[in-house]
Every structure is written in structure tokens, then in C-alpha cells.
Amino acid sequence: TQLLEQSPQFLSIQEGENLTVYCNSSSVFSSLQWYRQEPGEGPVLLVTVVTGGEVKKLKRLTFQFGDARKDSSLHITAAQPGDTGLYLCASGGGNNRKLIWGLGTSLAVNP
Amino acid sequence: DTGVSQDPRHKITKRGQNVTFRCDPISEHNRLYWYRQTLGQGPEFLTYFQNEAQLEKSRLLSDRFSAERPKGSFSTLEIQRTEQGDSAMYLCASSQSGGNEQFFGPGTRLTVL
């Protein structure tokens, strides 16, 4: 069974700081998605990475997929309070149908 | 299209009562998924439909849980004889067949007293 490990589990930083969160597996990902979830809401898809070594940017967020497709990172530059939330990685979907989820990184950006 | 919608957003019920939740997927998506999420955890897969066919059910889905998608559009999730352990956020997602990306609704927060 493929498991996704996310680190750190909790992160509290000041506005303007940079941060990186990680998603790792012992198995090769077919594809990997990053979601952000606010309290009381459903996860919102941020990005999907498919190709080993792929880098995608979404404003101040940079997503990287490891060359071996076993790990991924999310880097946020100059974090803002609006970035606060639970960041989840998930793998699967497509022909695998269901997504396998990490436990998430809970991020708090303090003004 | 306004995305995936779920109703109700919140439900408080007494132990032993039955509850039913509804999910309306994105209109062109033929796959629909139900997940359950408890505090501090990622979503847990419950079941999934392709059109009206229920193709996979998790072992988490006990006999008290039943899901339907009668016309291949909206879906309902019913929990009979609710227990306090059923308290959770119930999430619905939809996707296109073969797609890697699932799009989630806002969830239904169930509290069983």
C-alpha cells in the first residue's frame, strides 16, 4: 500500500518568511496533486505534477516533483496570512480511481 | 458551472437517527467520490461511482452506510442508526473519466450527539 508522508506536520511562521513542506513515499507516484484546505471547507486543488523533475509555479508557490517521482515539495515565498491552511498531497486518481492522501501540513502565517 | 455542491453544509443529529447527504458534481464529470475526514487527518476514501455504477467501496463503509447515484448525476450518502464515531466531515469529489484531478465540494459537517 502506497503511503504518503508529509512534513512538517505543523508550521507557524511570521508574515514574509519563506517555507518548504514535503511529501514523500517509498513508492513511485503515478501523479501527485497538492491541495489546500481551509477549516470547514473542502480541499482545493492547487497543482498536479506528472513528470519527474517537473517544476510548476503558482504565484508565490513553487511545486517540485522529484526526479524519481517518489517525493515532492511545495515552497512558499514571502508567506502571507492568507496562505494559512492545511496543505495536503495526494496521489492516484485516473485509472487508480481513488486518491491516497498524506496527513497534511498545517500552516499558520502570523501577521 | 459552479463546481461541486453539497447539502447540507452542517448536520447535527442524535445518536440512532438516520441522515442523508446530497452531492451535485460538476456536470460533465462522470466519476463521483465520497470521502470522510476527521480532524487532523487527510480524507479517507469511502466509495466511488462511474456514472450510476458503484465500482468500489472501502471497508470503512459499514452496513449502516449506503450511497446511490441513480441517474449518474447527483449522489446521496445515507447513514443509518448514526453513532458518535460517525461525526466527521463528509466530502464529495468529482472527476472526468481517466482524469488525475478530483474537484471537491465544501463538505457536510456531521455532528452526532
Side-chain angles (χ1 to χ4, degrees), chain A residues 46-92:
Chain A
L46 297 175
V47 76
T48 299
V49 287
V50 179
T51 306
E54 184 175 6
V55 177
K56 285 191 173 180
K57 292 191 175 184
L58 186 65
K59 296 183 180 178
R60 293 175 295 99
L61 278 60
T62 301
F63 304 86
Q64 188 160 3
F65 203 16
D67 291 340
R69 293 190 294 139
K70 290 186 176 182
D71 58 275
S72 181
S73 63
L74 159 58
H75 182 79
I76 301 179
T77 303
Q80 299 177 0
D83 296 325
T84 294
L86 180 67
Y87 289 83
L88 293 156
C89 65
S91 180

Side-chain angles (χ1 to χ4, degrees), chain A residues 33-50:
Chain A
Q33 291 103 55
W34 284 95
Y35 290 81
R36 177 171 167 268
Q37 186 176 24
E38 296 189 19
E41 300 291 332
V44 175
L45 179 66
L46 297 175
V47 76
T48 299
V49 287
V50 179

Side-chain angles (χ1 to χ4, degrees), chain B residues 22-104:
Chain B
R22 176 179 170 127
C23 172
D24 287 87
I26 293 172
S27 57
E28 63 266 28
H29 287 179
N30 59 2
R31 289 187 174 173
L32 187 149
Y33 310 79
W34 285 99
Y35 292 86
R36 181 172 67 187
Q37 186 179 26
T38 53
L39 197 62
Q41 302 290 322
E44 295 176 298
F45 171 79
L46 293 178
T47 188
Y48 119 89
F49 293 84
Q50 177 149 326
N51 300 313
E52 65 275 12
Q54 188 174 18
L55 297 187
E56 187 172 347
K57 292 170 60 173
S58 166
R59 61 178 175 79
L60 295 174
L61 213 64
S62 76
D63 291 344
R64 298 184 296 106
F65 288 70
S66 62
E68 294 182 344
R69 195 183 183 197
K71 298 182 180 179
S73 56
F74 73 91
S75 176
T76 57
L77 177 68
E78 181 183 15
I79 308 174
Q80 296 181 326
R81 304 181 303 281
T82 53
E83 302 172 356
Q84 287 184 326
D86 298 331
S87 296
M89 174 77 89
Y90 289 83
L91 295 164
C92 175
S94 70
S95 74
Q96 292 182 323
S97 181
N100 290 326
E101 299 173 344
Q102 297 181 12
F103 296 87
F104 283 79

Side-chain angles (χ1 to χ4, degrees), chain A residues 7-13 18-21 85 105-110:
Chain A
S7 60
Q9 188 175 358
F10 301 99
L11 191 56
S12 179
I13 62 171
N18 302 333
L19 66 115
T20 303
V21 299
T105 293
S106 180
L107 172 65
V109 182
N110 306 302

Side-chain angles (χ1 to χ4, degrees), chain A residues 15-33:
Chain A
E15 182 176 1
E17 293 183 6
N18 302 333
L19 66 115
T20 303
V21 299
Y22 301 91
C23 177
N24 298 292
S25 173
S26 58
S27 303
V28 174
F29 298 122
S30 55
S31 66
L32 187 121
Q33 291 103 55

